[in-house]
Amino acid sequence: MSMTPRPLCRKFIPIEQSKISSISKPDGFNFRLVSYNILARSYVRSVFFPYSPSPCLRWKARSQAILTVLKSLEADFYCLQEVDEYDSFYRKNMESLGYASIYTQRSGKKKDGCGIFYKHNIAELVIEEKIDYNDLVNSVQDGRTAFMDKDCDLLTHETESELKDGLELQDTQNDHGDHNDPRVRLKRDCVGIMAAFRFKNPSSHHVIIANTHFYWDPEWADVKLAQAKYLLSCLVEFKKLVADKFDCTPSILVAGDFNSVPGDQVYQYIVSGTTLEGVETVEDVPIPLSSVYAFTRGEPQFTNCTPDFTGTLDYILFSPSKDIKPVSYLELPEHESSDVSGGLPNYYHPSDHLPIGTEFEVLQA
């Protein structure tokens, strides 16, 4: 990539103070979080990305481009999805940049997973817990249906439409079993990870950060909704554990690739615990969450960009409270931006997804 355009890194844009009702305290502090589906090496084949320049798909060049992007964003926390070279590349290279990390690999034969990378001079990891969405199968076998949508019968499913992504088509073809059987249907080998951190500044404020990657298929909204419900139930239990163990009131942030577009069933469920203009709360959720971009400037036009699909799938969510507020967000390109023309990855963007990011201010009492 040295003879071609370099990776493009956008800036963080301050939020208009009029949009934020709380008042900053002089002894507060800021930290930055970025979420990024970096596109697993094992999923990169020219047959799947025929529109991408071949040099952009080679691991040596693409991995260095990803590092360039991560360096430039200067986040305190990175929630990365589709990490499949954790031990051989990401862990040691991020360590050289001052980051410690935790990681969980997908179940089954999948090689990628979710990782949280954090500046160890900023925050201390105090407890972590992995989320395996295959555990939803146990709820079916035990006769529990708490994570199933009461309006969506897992035992019936319409014929799948033509799949848009060759990668995912290959994944589905290798998946044996009756897709009308919820025990098969819910076993998607998807994972997440959540961790509690204590900031090393005098405040010793605790924050819970969860990183997740939901199932991809737009036809399987019931599975993604079950994963969303399971994630929030895990967060509730984890928050209680952290609060009791460390005698604190932790802030809660959730980031990841939700494979769900704004306004769909999964998105509506996740944000239904917060009051948004024009959106009615249809179901109680165990923990209120709001999308940072929707809360500040509106959801981006897209975070995933290919010739077959361009839309928003990635989110950073926070539980609104008097202790924390977003103060800036990472700028994203528009449809007409030249750096996304033709689809991703390309010389400007090493993944088919774009990084999203937020700077938060922790308000001291």
Side-chain angles (χ1 to χ4, degrees):
M1 289 188 180
S2 59
M3 303 298 293
T4 54
R6 293 177 56 82
L8 179 63
C9 303
R10 285 181 161 78
K11 306 299 182 183
F12 280 79
I13 307 299
I15 295 169
E16 296 179 19
Q17 291 305 307
S18 60
K19 293 180 179 290
I20 307 298
S21 58
S22 55
I23 300 174
S24 300
K25 302 292 181 63
D27 54 349
F29 67 94
N30 294 7
F31 69 93
R32 185 176 289 182
L33 182 145
V34 165
S35 181
Y36 193 14
N37 181 327
I38 56 177
L39 181 58
R41 180 184 184 183
S42 58
Y43 298 157
V44 177
R45 299 288 186 273
S46 59
V47 67
F48 300 144
F49 299 96
Y51 55 87
S52 296
S54 57
C56 300
L57 302 180
R58 295 173 187 150
W59 169 244
K60 184 175 181 180
R62 200 171 70 83
S63 61
Q64 292 304 314
I66 292 171
L67 276 186
T68 296
V69 172
L70 297 179
K71 287 179 187 177
S72 70
L73 294 175
E74 298 181 330
D76 300 297
F77 298 92
Y78 286 103
C79 292
L80 304 183
Q81 304 88 44
E82 290 198 19
V83 179
D84 67 346
E85 295 288 343
Y86 176 69
D87 289 317
S88 62
F89 181 79
Y90 288 106
R91 181 166 62 179
K92 62 182 180 181
N93 278 285
M94 292 299 283
E95 281 179 356
S96 69
L97 298 177
Y99 294 88
S101 58
I102 54 177
Y103 174 74
T104 183
Q105 186 171 322
R106 290 180 66 184
S107 310
K109 297 180 180 180
K110 304 298 189 297
K111 297 180 179 179
D112 64 299
C114 295
I116 299 177
F117 297 79
Y118 60 98
K119 284 187 177 179
H120 52 74
N121 65 327
I122 298 293
E124 172 192 3
L125 173 67
V126 294
I127 189 171
E128 66 175 285
E129 189 172 305
K130 298 178 180 179
I131 302 171
D132 188 342
Y133 293 109
N134 282 356
D135 289 343
L136 284 165
V137 176
N138 298 330
S139 69
V140 176
Q141 294 172 337
D142 296 342
R144 294 179 284 117
T145 59
F147 303 111
M148 298 181 187
D149 183 6
K150 58 180 178 293
D151 298 320
C152 185
D153 187 355
L154 281 170
L155 295 176
T156 60
H157 178 57
E158 298 178 357
T159 303
E160 294 177 26
S161 63
E162 182 179 356
L163 304 179
K164 296 180 179 179
D165 192 308
L167 279 171
E168 307 298 0
L169 175 59
Q170 181 186 59
D171 177 65
T172 301
Q173 288 175 333
N174 292 333
D175 179 24
H176 300 291
D178 180 6
H179 289 172
N180 292 328
D181 183 343
R183 293 168 298 180
V184 174
R185 194 168 179 77
L186 289 169
K187 192 174 182 181
R188 300 295 96 200
D189 297 333
C190 299
V191 297
I193 190 168
M194 52 190 176
F197 299 91
R198 180 192 296 115
F199 286 100
K200 292 185 175 181
N201 57 38
S203 76
S204 295
H205 184 77
H206 288 74
V207 61
I208 292 173
I209 297 177
N211 180 18
T212 191
H213 193 178
F214 286 176
Y215 189 53
W216 67 273
D217 194 335
E219 296 292 319
W220 292 40
D222 55 324
V223 172
K224 286 183 277 191
L225 185 58
Q227 291 176 343
K229 292 182 177 182
Y230 187 59
L231 169 64
L232 266 57
S233 71
C234 290
L235 271 172
V236 168
E237 294 298 320
F238 192 65
K239 179 184 179 182
K240 185 178 185 303
L241 172 65
V242 173
D244 292 346
K245 185 171 183 177
F246 302 104
D247 190 24
C248 66
T249 304
S251 300
I252 297 180
L253 308 176
V254 184
D257 179 353
F258 292 79
N259 274 312
S260 305
V261 297
D264 74 4
Q265 190 178 20
V266 176
Y267 179 92
Q268 290 295 87
Y269 170 75
I270 291 175
V271 301
S272 64
T274 59
T275 301
L276 299 176
E277 184 177 355
V279 177
E280 294 182 0
T281 299
V282 295
E283 182 177 356
D284 291 334
V285 294
I287 190 165
L289 292 172
S290 178
S291 166
V292 166
Y293 280 83
F295 184 79
T296 57
R297 48 137 279 175
E299 297 292 7
Q301 292 184 3
F302 58 92
T303 62
N304 177 233
C305 183
T306 69
D308 290 329
F309 173 82
T310 297
T312 296
L313 301 176
D314 307 271
Y315 305 95
I316 296 174
L317 310 165
F318 73 110
S319 186
S321 74
K322 60 181 178 58
D323 299 320
I324 191 170
K325 70 174 184 179
V327 293
S328 71
Y329 58 84
L330 182 60
E331 183 184 27
L332 290 164
E334 306 292 335
H335 283 298
E336 59 273 15
S337 299
S338 59
D339 57 295
V340 298
S341 177
L344 309 181
N346 60 18
Y347 289 114
Y348 299 102
H349 303 284
S351 172
D352 55 341
H353 287 249
L354 297 165
I356 58 175
T358 308
E359 187 172 2
F360 290 96
E361 181 178 6
V362 176
L363 307 173
Q364 301 301 297

